[in-house]
Amino acid sequence: MGRTGLFDLESHFAFHGAYHSNRVNILIHTLFVWPIFFTFLVLFYFTPSLYNFPNGFCLNLGFAFTVIYAGFYVCLDKKAGSVAALLCVLCWVQSTLLASRLGFSLSWKVVLAAQLFCWTGQFIGHGVFEKRAPAFLENRVQAFLMTPFFVLLECLQSVFGYEPYQGFHASVEEKIEARIKEWRDKKQKKIT
């Protein structure tokens, strides 16, 4: 809807949609993407801090990532972006509380277990159900930055019929189909 480049929500959504068209893979991502984001924030709690508040909160890498993600999502879409920003902030708060209670050694173990479990689910979703490599193999920054928002938009659309604007999903579906067709054509050319 008039936006281009970094803030073109349709292009971002179509990029991800082309890698997530199988319902089981979408469900796997719905269950595992936000826990991956959360556990990264647990690890980032232990990065150097610019300022420490008396209550255990600190302005560190986790805070910086939270602000970047939240701000980007609000710029993409005010309504859904605000919900995503709230989720980012809640993840930061909860990850800070968890990490401060567990300490460095136990946090690493919890994060490692959660990350292995969640990433294994993601790869199974792509390999077994989607039958396509994950999006981050094509564009890591876009995939890691957009995936939590993509999952949230999918949920909002499925549950509430939410569209950032009239005709968004129809336009995105068209782009997704074109991207999938392009991928299949390339795959077919490699075979022949």
Side-chain angles (χ1 to χ4, degrees), residues 2-76:
R3 291 188 178 188
T4 59
L6 184 62
F7 298 106
D8 183 354
L9 182 57
E10 278 188 23
S11 292
H12 287 305
F13 204 83
F15 172 81
H16 273 280
Y19 287 89
H20 305 93
S21 59
N22 177 278
R23 289 202 182 283
V24 175
N25 189 36
I26 291 169
L27 176 63
I28 288 170
H29 281 68
T30 301
L31 297 174
F32 294 146
V33 164
W34 280 93
I36 289 172
F37 178 80
F38 175 83
T39 54
F40 272 121
L41 291 178
V42 170
L43 282 184
F44 291 155
Y45 172 79
F46 299 102
T47 60
S49 176
L50 294 174
Y51 182 78
N52 293 323
F53 294 100
N55 59 6
F57 290 96
C58 50
L59 302 181
N60 58 11
L61 195 56
F63 179 78
F65 269 84
T66 300
V67 169
I68 291 167
Y69 273 66
F72 183 63
Y73 295 157
V74 170
C75 288
L76 287 173

Side-chain angles (χ1 to χ4, degrees), residues 5 10 18 21 40-41 71 78 80 95 100 105 107-108 114 129 141 151 158 174 181 183 190:
E10 278 188 23
S21 59
F40 272 121
L41 291 178
K78 299 284 186 263
S95 68
S100 66
S105 181
S107 289
W108 265 102
F129 299 101
V141 173
V151 166
S158 296
E174 220 174 270
K181 183 182 181 324
W183 171 72
K190 286 182 183 179

Side-chain angles (χ1 to χ4, degrees), residues 84-115:
L86 178 62
L87 286 173
C88 289
V89 170
L90 290 174
C91 283
W92 175 71
V93 168
Q94 291 301 315
S95 68
T96 296
L97 294 172
L98 181 64
S100 66
R101 285 193 185 112
L102 295 180
F104 181 74
S105 181
L106 188 53
S107 289
W108 265 102
K109 293 171 187 168
V110 169
V111 167
L112 180 62
Q115 289 278 326

Side-chain angles (χ1 to χ4, degrees), residues 92-178:
W92 175 71
V93 168
Q94 291 301 315
S95 68
T96 296
L97 294 172
L98 181 64
S100 66
R101 285 193 185 112
L102 295 180
F104 181 74
S105 181
L106 188 53
S107 289
W108 265 102
K109 293 171 187 168
V110 169
V111 167
L112 180 62
Q115 289 278 326
L116 286 173
F117 181 74
C118 291
W119 281 107
T120 299
Q122 302 274 43
F123 283 110
I124 289 170
H126 279 284
V128 175
F129 299 101
E130 195 73 48
K131 299 187 183 356
R132 185 172 185 184
F136 74 82
L137 295 179
E138 183 179 331
N139 187 333
R140 284 170 192 78
V141 173
Q142 202 270 1
F144 281 107
L145 185 60
M146 279 303 299
T147 301
F149 193 55
F150 173 77
V151 166
L152 177 67
L153 275 177
E154 280 283 321
C155 290
L156 291 174
Q157 196 277 326
S158 296
V159 176
F160 302 109
Y162 177 76
E163 283 193 304
Y165 49 84
Q166 184 84 24
F168 173 81
H169 285 288
S171 179
V172 166
E173 283 300 319
E174 220 174 270
K175 290 177 181 181
I176 289 171
E177 291 304 319

